[in-house]
Each structure stands twice: as structure tokens, then as C-alpha cells.
Amino acid sequence: MRRKYLFLGILGLLFLSAFCVADEGGEEEDKPKVDDDIGKSRDGLKTDDEAVQREEEAIKLDGLSVAQMKEMRDKAEKHVFQAEVNRMMKLIINSLYKNKEIFLRELISNASDALDKIRFLSLTDKSALSATEELTIKIKADKENGVLHVTDTGIGMTKDELVNNLGTIAKSGTSDFLTKLGDATSATETSDLIGQFGVGFYSSFLVSDRVVVTSKHNDDEQYIWESDASSFTVSKDPRGNTLGRGTTVSLFLKEEAQDFLEQNTIKDLIKKYSQFINFNIYLWSSKTEMVDEPIEEEEEKKEEKKEETPDEKKDEEDDEDGKVEEEKDEKPKTKQVEKTTWDWELCNSNKPIWTRKPAEIDDKEYNEFYKAFSKDSEEPLSHTHFTAEGEVTFRSILYIPKSGPSDQFQNYGKKLDSIKMYVRRVFITDNFEDMMPKYLAFVRGIVDSDDLPLNVSRETLQQHKLLKVIKKKLVRKTLDMIKKIGKDDYEKFWKEYSTNVKLGVMEDHSNRTRLAKLLRFLSSNSETEMTSLAEYVERMKEKQDSIFFMAGNSRKEVEKSPFVERLLKKGYEVLYLVEPVDEYCMQSLPEFDGKKFQNVAKEGLKLDDSEKSKEHKEAKEKEYEPLITWLKDSALKDKIEKATISERLTTSPCALVASTYGWSANMERIMKAQAYAKAKDPSQEFYASQKKTLEVNPRHPLIKELKRRVEANKEDKTAEDLAVVMFETAVLRSGYGLPDTLGFAGRIERMLRMSMDVSLDEKIDEEPEEEEEKDDDSDEVDADDDDDSVDDDSKATEKASTTKEADGEKTEETEKLSDVKIQAEPEEQKEDAAPHHDHEDL
């Protein structure tokens, strides 16, 4: 038994110890655990401890482990890319630059940088200018030897700099200079330096076979660097110090580049690319002028002998003893001689006034600068001068010419050279696609920036978001400039550039509100002055919610349009749109100052929303419902969308109104007149084929008589004819074109016959046939003529009798219609409306 209890006790102890161990394990499981890789990112660019491993995994090759990749890289041999110098030079010379004339711009820019460098050094070291204080660039052409020399009095180059800067491709001396300066000078001063890439000098080989550079630095002797684009040599100048300080670049021009030795060619290139360089640029040039030279004694005697006449000689011989010598007039001792003189001519007299503050410049300077760079003989209408800062910093002067280009709309959308881009005062390009929008192509100006992205040749700008920033600021500044133009000058501006502003409303959605404030239109408010939309809104009636406008060919046409009759009678102002682009412009404007636009030639016009007006209209619609239904379903079934009672007519019997999204008569005429329109274009056919609404005037006597006839007999043919004629006159009165002009002319002719008591069945006299004349049968011809005259008399008698018989046929109808007057509106004073339509006399 003891053994049994002992065995059970040992089992119990084991069970209890196992339970305790399990309990401790459960407590450990309840404690929070921290993952080993918490905070580690799967992004290889993060700086966690797995970044390198993951990047290596990302670039590992198939079949190679990461360890093998490391081993391969550690044991790999490193090499530097080799380039064949000759081929590299050919690539640089022939591939970077589009135009050969660029070489002069690059050499002048390099010379300007050299002058800037010595000027910077002279700020702290006065002895830097000890050799010469002159800071100029001089260009001399040697036609006899075919050499062009460009000399500057800049910082010059030592022997080592000649080897390193000119002997190393893409080595920029300017960049090294800025690095050495460090923080010694401010960023504003160093921004004048032009050089960036270190390849501009090699553009010399575009036009020359051999280039010789002579340079003198303050810290070294004068050396000569010479190259033929394949190799170069450097040697000490045997002439000694001839420059004092600076550099001369001598180009031995190719045969096909000899034109660059001409004075006019060099002047044009300087003015095109480098006329705004800070330093004076001189050209050794000749000019022919007339000068006074003393006359020698022998020549003077010969001239006196020539001047003596034979008569004078004879008189002198006769009166030799007793003659009285007359005092001779003193003759000039000099004569005019044509002489050619050579001297240094300043080529960049125009200074970049945009670098100065606007307060320091008067209008005269602005106008002279405009004439200089634009070649315009007239002064500008307005100008703006500003400095933009932010994402990009640039200075700009913009001008509005008094007269726009005569072909601006023939070339609309094409690239123009109206805005010239400069980088550090060096001309880059005027060939922009997106610098200014098309509708502002007439604006002339200059933009100069220090931090624009250029390609290596510095001929074009790289596509960059900064260009969009510049464009946005230029447009805003231009619109502000236009807004500030005075009233008198604005009339001139609007006469010249109104179409441009309206095109801007259509094209430039971001500036649509600003452009809308610049719009001007003719108005019923004044017969002479134009009005702005803001002025129209100020004059609106209290409960007027829309800006009313009517489009047409001329003011006279829109003033007499049936669509404006009641508006003008009620005292509402209507804008008259008489230019082809006006209606396009209005369609692009959803609203102005919270007021929507309403074309009065389209449906949706509401003049009076009062209860009394609604009740009156409902009563009229109920009264004229038989006529409205008959017009829509019977008489004009295929011609109109519907017929309604009009709210816009007072004296006209009816008018044709377009739907909200359909074409008005003015728009239809414009679209059909397009020279390059596609024949039967589905999109245009959709708008052109839309049926229109016929609005009738219930107070007009013709409408009342037509209503009476329809109520009496819906099958009345006369009523149908009358309805068709009224519809066609409404088409013409509303400005639309008639599709069936022959049918309309026939109906008008029938009406004229009826009104003039001419029988509808009366035939037109046939033209007598002419017989051939014969000399032998002259008597017979005369007899025939007598017979014809008798026949004509009998026909005339028959015609008169027929006319008398037809006198009573239409008398009753004409008497009824001619005595009817237009009924006045019930809420207004009665007015006598004189009928002025042809068919009312019917």
C-alpha cells in the first residue's frame, strides 16, 4: 500500500509541476511582443538596415546571388570612357549649333565675361586695372588676309589657363572663376556672368579653319594658343606684351564664310545678339565723307585761266595802258574732296533699360527704346515695366503698338517674333510657341532672366515648368496694362484690337473674367458711344435678371429687328453685336457679375413674371389655341417645331425664334459663309436642320383675320396661302434664308396680281419671232409688220376687257383687310401702328 501511495504522490507532484510550468508559459504568451523588423520599410530608398540588401536584390542578374554580385564588383577593373578627340570636336562643332552666325555671339559673350571678371577683381584690388582702365570689346575685319579679330581688355589667361580652358572640351573658365570667388561676391554681381557650358569657344570652328588666341594676364607673360580643331599649340609671344591685358581671338575664316568680314553683316549680328551687353562693342569701320582740302597755287592759276573768256582778254589788250583793275572776288582756297576714313564705331549704343528701376526712366526713354528694338516709327500706345519674383525671377518691358500687324489674323496661331528672350542680356530666341497666347500676339516686348534652362548651344529654351510660370505672369501683366489705358486711348486700342480680346474670351478660360471687363459693345443706350458690361449692369432694371443682346450685320439691321421691338418699348437696354466674332464671344461667357446672357433671337426670353401678366398670356393662348394648333398641325406642319403667342413682338405679325441651343440667323449666316467648311458636315447639319418656333402677335390685324378664317373653315386654301406667305416673311424678317426662293417669288407675284386687279390666269405676251430680212421681199416684210401691229392692238383690247371683268373678284377681301388696325396691349396706352408690311395691303 505504501508503494502505491508513494507512486500516486510522485505522479501528483509531477502533475503539479507541469501545471505550474504551463501557467508561466501562458503568462509569457500574454505579454506583448516586439517584432524584430518593426519600423523597417520595404522602400529601398529608406535608410534602414535592409536598404542595401534590397537594392542589391533588385538589380541582381539571373543566376547570380547577391554574394556573387558583391564579389564580382570588388574584383572588377575600372576604366574611364575614352573619346576620339577629332570625332568629338566634329560632333561639338557640327551638331550643337544650327546657325553659323552664333560664333560671334559666343565670342562676345566670352569677352563680356572676361571684362566682368577683371571688374570684380578690381573692386578689391585696384592694381588689377593698372595696365589699362579701358573695359571694351573691339572687332576688326581684315579682308585682305581673311581674318576676323575679336579683342577684349578683360582678365586674360595665363599659359596654364590657355591649356586647361581651351584645351579641355566642356571646361568652363567662368564656372571655375565663380568657384574660386566662393562667397567673396554677392549672387547679384555674379549673375552677370554668361558662360555656363564651356563649349561656346569651339563654335569658332564653324566658320574658320584655324583659330589663334593671344592672351595677356596680369600674373603671366603674353602667350599664343593656336589650333586647327585637331590639335593645339601654346607658345610665348615673341612680340612681347602688345595687349597690355586681355585677349584677342583671331579667326582665319573659311572660303564660304568670307561674308562675316563685311561691316554690315557684323553690325547686324551685334545688334541681333549682343546689343545689350554691359560693355561697349566697337567695330573698325570705314565711312566716306566730303572734306575740304587746300588748293595748290598751280591748280589755282589754271582755274583762273579757264575762267577768263576771250572777250575779257580782248578788252584787257585794248585798255592795257589805262585800265582800272577791278577787285576780284576772293575765291575759296579749299575744295570738296571725297575721302574714306577709318575709325572705331560704337555698335551697342542701346542700353538695357529694363535693368534699371521704372522710377528712374521717363516716357521718352521708354518710347525711344521701343522704336529701337521694334523698328516701329510710331510711339507705343502703352507700356509696362516690371520685375517678377518667385519660382522664377525675370525682368520685362511690354509694349502695345498703336497699330497691329496687317496680317495678324491671316497668320493667326503662327509663331511670331513679338517677344524676345534674353538670358543675362544675351539674345537667345524669339521663336516661342507658348510664351504668349495667340490672342496677345500683337504685344511687343523683352524678357530677361538669369535662371532659365537653356540647351548647350544656348539657341533654344528647354521645355520647363518655369516657362509656364513666365507665360502666366506676362499675360496677367498685359491685361493689367490694358485695363489701365485711359478712355481716349482705349477707344484707339479697341478699334485696333477688339477682335483679339474677344478671341481671348473664347480661348483663355483662366483669364475669362478679366477679359470680360475689357469688352465693349454698341448699345441702345447711346448711338455713338460703346458700353462695357459693367456699365450695362449698372443701368439694368430692378427685376431684370439677364443681359439682353441681339446679333446682326449692322446697327441699323438689329435696331429694326422684330426681336427687339417690345424690349425697346419697355425701356430695356439691348447690346448690339455687329461683328462676326461677337456672338461666338457671348456663347463663351456663361455670365457676368451674376447676370446671365440672353440672345433675344432665341427662346427663353421673359420680360414680365407678374401674376397679371401670366393670366393675360394664358387667356390669349386659350383664345388663339385653334390658330396655334392649325399652324403647327396643318398649314406649317413640316416647317416649324411649334407655334406660340409672342411676348417680344409689338408691330410685326410674327417672327421665327431659334431654340436655346440652335443657330440664330446671324450664326447661320456666318457658318454657311465659311470658306473651308466641309460639305454637309453632320455637326453643322444638326444645327442647321433644327426646326424653329413661330411666335405670332395676337394684337396684329393679319393674325386676327387669319384666326377668323381658320375658325370659319380650316380647309380654306386662301388661309393656307396666307399662312405660308406670313411664315416666309417671318423667315426673312428674322434674318434667315429662304430655302424655296422661287416659290416665295411666285406667291408674291400672285399677291401683286390680286392687289393690282390683274387676272391670275392672264398669260404673258409672247415675243414676236423675227424673220430674216431680204432685199427682194422688202414690201412683203412691211406688210407683215402691219399685220403684227393689228394683232397687237386686238390683244391689248382683249386684255383691257379681261381686267375689267376681274375688277370685282377680290374687292370684298381687300376692303375687309385694309380697314383693320393693330389692337393695342390692354395694360398700355393705345398706339396707332401704321401697317408697313407689303402683305398687309392685301
Side-chain angles (χ1 to χ4, degrees):
M1 290 295 292
R2 290 180 179 177
R3 290 182 178 178
K4 183 177 181 180
Y5 286 120
L6 180 60
F7 179 74
L8 291 174
I10 293 172
L11 288 176
L13 290 172
L14 291 174
F15 180 79
L16 182 61
S17 61
F19 178 80
C20 292
V21 171
D23 187 39
E24 291 177 1
E27 290 178 1
E28 290 181 358
E29 289 178 359
D30 293 338
K31 294 180 181 179
K33 291 185 178 181
V34 178
D35 296 334
D36 294 337
D37 61 347
I38 189 169
K40 294 181 179 179
S41 170
R42 297 301 301 173
D43 189 355
L45 296 178
K46 302 297 181 182
T47 56
D48 58 283
D49 57 350
E50 293 183 349
V52 177
Q53 179 181 350
R54 287 172 184 153
E55 287 182 355
E56 289 176 347
E57 290 176 358
I59 62 173
K60 69 179 181 180
L61 299 175
D62 293 339
L64 289 176
S65 64
V66 176
Q68 290 173 329
M69 288 288 294
K70 284 184 177 182
E71 182 181 357
M72 181 186 70
R73 288 172 179 172
D74 294 339
K75 296 181 179 180
E77 297 180 1
K78 294 184 179 180
H79 297 274
V80 179
F81 284 108
Q82 300 295 322
E84 189 175 341
V85 177
N86 293 339
R87 297 190 64 184
M88 191 68 180
M89 284 294 293
K90 289 181 180 179
L91 288 174
I92 292 174
I93 296 168
N94 298 314
S95 300
L96 288 183
Y97 301 97
K98 297 178 182 178
N99 300 321
K100 291 184 177 181
E101 63 187 28
I102 293 296
F103 82 94
L104 189 59
R105 184 198 70 181
E106 296 297 318
L107 294 181
I108 293 176
S109 298
N110 290 343
S112 176
D113 280 352
L115 292 167
D116 267 322
K117 292 172 187 176
I118 195 65
R119 184 170 61 86
F120 292 154
L121 294 179
S122 67
L123 297 176
T124 55
D125 184 7
K126 299 298 182 181
S127 63
L129 299 177
S130 59
T132 176
E133 294 185 356
E134 180 184 4
L135 297 177
T136 59
I137 302 171
K138 293 183 177 180
I139 302 173
K140 186 175 182 179
D142 183 359
K143 288 187 178 181
E144 294 181 2
N145 299 313
V147 183
L148 182 66
H149 305 280
V150 180
T151 304
D152 66 76
T153 57
I155 193 172
M157 287 180 282
T158 64
K159 178 182 179 182
D160 294 337
E161 287 174 340
L162 285 171
V163 174
N164 294 331
N165 295 345
L166 303 185
T168 306
I169 300 173
K171 176 76 171 179
S172 175
T174 298
S175 299
D176 290 346
F177 180 77
L178 293 176
T179 303
K180 292 177 182 178
L181 283 179
D183 298 330
T185 55
S186 66
T188 305
E189 292 174 339
T190 57
S191 66
D192 288 339
L193 294 176
I194 301 167
Q196 298 182 43
F197 305 106
V199 295
F201 169 77
Y202 302 104
S203 63
S204 304
F205 292 103
L206 288 169
V207 295
S208 59
D209 295 316
R210 186 161 57 95
V211 177
V212 177
V213 179
T214 306
S215 189
K216 172 66 174 69
H217 192 278
N218 286 337
D219 299 336
D220 204 347
E221 299 292 333
Q222 184 168 307
Y223 282 87
I224 296 178
W225 181 95
E226 185 176 357
S227 175
D228 59 356
S230 59
S231 61
F232 67 90
T233 59
V234 180
S235 60
K236 189 175 180 179
D237 193 340
R239 300 170 298 177
N241 184 4
T242 59
L243 295 175
R245 185 194 67 247
T247 302
T248 297
V249 179
S250 301
L251 308 181
F252 291 81
L253 299 183
K254 299 176 181 178
E255 185 177 352
E256 66 271 16
Q258 296 295 313
D259 182 54
F260 292 111
L261 295 173
E262 299 294 333
Q263 292 182 28
N264 292 334
T265 303
I266 299 174
K267 285 181 184 178
D268 292 341
L269 292 180
I270 293 173
K271 289 182 178 180
K272 180 178 181 180
Y273 292 105
S274 308
Q275 65 171 324
F276 299 117
I277 291 292
N278 280 338
F279 305 97
N280 290 338
I281 303 174
Y282 293 96
L283 175 65
W284 184 250
S285 59
S286 64
K287 59 180 179 180
T288 303
E289 57 184 0
M290 302 300 293
V291 297
D292 293 332
E293 286 191 355
I295 302 177
E296 297 180 0
E297 293 183 0
E298 295 180 359
E299 293 180 358
E300 188 176 355
K301 289 179 181 180
K302 290 180 181 178
E303 289 180 1
E304 289 178 357
K305 289 181 180 180
K306 289 179 182 179
E307 290 177 358
E308 291 180 354
T309 61
D311 294 337
E312 291 176 350
K313 291 181 179 180
K314 188 176 182 180
D315 293 340
E316 287 177 1
E317 292 175 358
D318 294 340
D319 303 332
E320 185 176 356
D321 298 333
K323 69 177 181 179
V324 179
E325 294 185 359
E326 298 178 356
E327 295 183 359
K328 298 181 180 180
D329 296 335
E330 293 185 1
K331 295 182 179 180
K333 301 296 183 180
T334 59
K335 62 178 180 179
Q336 292 282 330
V337 179
E338 190 177 273
K339 190 175 182 180
T340 301
T341 59
W342 290 84
D343 198 1
W344 292 107
E345 179 184 355
L346 181 64
C347 296
N348 62 333
S349 57
N350 295 325
K351 298 303 178 184
I353 66 173
W354 65 80
T355 59
R356 296 158 55 189
K357 295 181 180 180
E360 301 173 355
I361 310 171
D362 56 18
D363 290 340
K364 184 178 180 181
E365 286 185 88
Y366 280 121
N367 295 340
E368 290 177 353
F369 178 75
Y370 167 75
K371 291 180 180 179
F373 91 89
S374 67
K375 311 304 182 200
D376 193 349
S377 59
E378 294 184 314
E379 293 183 353
L381 191 64
S382 181
H383 71 271
T384 181
H385 181 191
F386 62 94
T387 300
E389 297 179 349
E391 296 180 67
V392 59
T393 300
F394 66 92
R395 299 181 182 90
S396 178
I397 299 181
L398 301 177
Y399 293 91
I400 297 178
K402 279 188 177 178
S403 302
S406 58
D407 59 346
Q408 62 176 328
F409 296 114
Q410 284 80 358
N411 297 322
Y412 190 72
K414 296 183 180 179
K415 299 177 183 178
L416 298 176
D417 57 352
S418 55
I419 303 294
K420 298 183 182 296
M421 172 59 70
Y422 288 78
V423 174
R424 297 179 179 90
R425 301 164 317 285
V426 177
F427 175 73
I428 300 300
T429 182
D430 54 12
N431 188 11
F432 289 112
E433 292 183 9
D434 299 322
M435 184 55 69
M436 288 289 273
K438 294 182 290 185
Y439 69 93
L440 291 179
F442 61 89
V443 178
R444 310 292 296 272
I446 284 176
V447 176
D448 187 9
S449 178
D450 296 335
D451 48 6
L452 280 180
L454 300 174
N455 66 354
V456 178
S457 68
R458 295 198 298 166
E459 289 180 82
T460 56
L461 292 171
Q462 296 175 356
Q463 292 298 322
H464 199 273
K465 66 176 183 179
L466 294 181
L467 295 181
K468 295 182 179 179
V469 176
I470 293 177
K471 176 182 177 180
K472 184 178 180 180
K473 291 185 177 181
L474 290 179
V475 173
R476 295 285 174 87
K477 288 294 183 179
T478 301
L479 297 183
D480 289 343
M481 171 176 54
I482 297 173
K483 185 180 178 181
K484 294 176 182 178
I485 297 177
K487 183 178 180 181
D488 294 339
D489 287 338
Y490 195 85
E491 291 180 1
K492 300 176 184 177
F493 168 82
W494 188 252
K495 183 178 180 181
E496 196 70 31
Y497 302 111
S498 60
T499 303
N500 298 77
V501 176
K502 294 167 186 175
L503 289 172
V505 172
M506 298 161 55
E507 298 172 359
D508 193 351
H509 303 284
S510 60
N511 293 299
R512 183 173 289 164
T513 303
R514 293 180 177 85
L515 288 164
K517 295 178 181 179
L518 303 176
L519 294 173
R520 299 290 185 273
F521 297 104
L522 295 172
S523 165
S524 59
N525 182 67
S526 174
E527 294 185 359
T528 56
E529 294 185 1
M530 305 186 82
T531 184
S532 66
L533 295 178
E535 292 170 342
Y536 180 97
V537 172
E538 289 179 1
R539 294 191 294 262
M540 288 175 62
K541 290 180 175 290
E542 291 184 4
K543 296 183 179 180
Q544 183 180 346
D545 297 328
S546 301
I547 299 175
F548 301 123
F549 69 90
M550 175 65 195
N553 268 331
S554 64
R555 182 188 180 105
K556 185 176 180 181
E557 176 187 326
V558 294
E559 279 180 334
K560 295 183 177 181
S561 172
F563 299 114
V564 301
E565 291 175 353
R566 194 173 185 192
L567 287 167
L568 298 181
K569 186 177 180 180
K570 290 280 190 181
Y572 289 97
E573 184 178 354
V574 181
L575 297 177
Y576 297 147
L577 279 55
V578 296
E579 294 186 10
V581 74
D582 286 351
E583 193 168 356
Y584 286 100
C585 176
M586 284 300 190
Q587 290 177 353
S588 301
L589 272 177
E591 63 178 19
F592 180 83
D593 199 14
K595 306 293 183 180
K596 294 185 177 180
F597 292 90
Q598 174 63 53
N599 188 339
V600 298
K602 292 187 177 183
E603 62 184 9
L605 179 65
K606 293 181 180 180
L607 297 180
D608 193 354
D609 291 336
S610 63
E611 292 296 329
K612 186 177 179 180
S613 177
K614 290 181 180 178
E615 291 176 1
H616 178 70
K617 184 179 180 182
E618 289 175 0
K620 285 294 182 183
E621 287 177 348
K622 187 176 182 181
E623 179 183 354
Y624 282 81
E625 184 178 358
L627 176 63
I628 298 300
T629 305
W630 178 77
L631 288 171
K632 178 183 177 183
D633 298 338
S634 180
L636 306 175
K637 181 178 180 181
D638 299 327
K639 301 179 185 299
I640 61 173
E641 179 68 23
K642 61 180 179 179
T644 61
I645 300 298
S646 177
E647 291 186 28
R648 70 189 85 201
L649 301 178
T650 56
T651 59
S652 300
C654 55
L656 209 59
V657 179
S659 62
T660 305
Y661 301 102
W663 281 348
S664 66
N666 182 64
M667 184 60 70
E668 183 179 271
R669 184 183 67 253
I670 292 173
M671 297 305 296
K672 288 183 177 180
Q674 298 295 324
Y676 300 102
K678 181 181 177 181
K680 296 183 179 180
D681 188 355
S683 60
Q684 293 193 11
E685 288 291 324
F686 170 77
Y687 293 103
S689 62
Q690 284 190 355
K691 294 181 180 179
K692 298 167 182 64
T693 301
L694 180 67
E695 289 192 0
V696 297
N697 184 0
R699 295 174 298 280
H700 199 280
L702 285 177
I703 301 300
K704 288 182 176 181
E705 176 62 21
L706 186 60
K707 171 178 169 291
R708 185 187 65 77
R709 287 175 176 269
V710 171
E711 289 177 345
N713 181 13
K714 292 185 178 181
E715 304 298 329
D716 189 352
K717 295 296 183 183
T718 305
E720 289 185 4
D721 289 343
L722 186 60
V724 172
V725 172
M726 288 176 60
F727 167 76
E728 290 175 335
T729 56
V731 170
L732 294 176
R733 194 191 308 271
S734 303
Y736 294 97
L738 277 176
D740 184 13
T741 54
L742 292 178
F744 175 71
R747 281 182 282 276
I748 293 298
E749 183 183 347
R750 287 198 299 272
M751 291 177 62
L752 292 174
R753 282 176 176 260
M754 293 168 63
S755 62
M756 297 175 66
D757 296 332
V758 178
S759 174
L760 298 177
D761 298 328
E762 186 174 348
K763 304 296 183 183
I764 302 173
D765 293 343
E766 294 183 1
E767 184 178 358
E769 297 182 359
E770 297 182 358
E771 297 182 2
E772 296 182 0
E773 295 183 359
K774 296 181 180 179
D775 296 337
D776 298 337
D777 302 328
S778 59
D779 295 336
E780 295 180 4
V781 172
D782 295 337
D784 293 339
D785 291 341
D786 294 338
D787 295 339
D788 291 340
S789 63
V790 174
D791 293 340
D792 292 341
D793 293 339
S794 62
K795 290 180 180 179
T797 305
E798 292 177 1
K799 178 179 179 182
S801 61
T802 306
T803 304
K804 291 180 180 179
E805 293 174 0
D807 285 343
E809 293 182 2
K810 300 298 178 179
T811 304
E812 184 177 354
E813 283 184 337
T814 55
E815 288 180 354
K816 287 181 181 179
L817 295 180
S818 60
D819 296 333
V820 183
K821 302 294 182 180
I822 302 175
Q823 181 179 344
E825 298 182 42
E827 68 275 9
E828 299 176 353
Q829 294 181 357
K830 296 183 178 180
E831 298 181 0
D832 293 332
H836 56 278
H837 306 291
D838 294 339
H839 60 271
E840 289 179 5
D841 295 333
L842 178 62

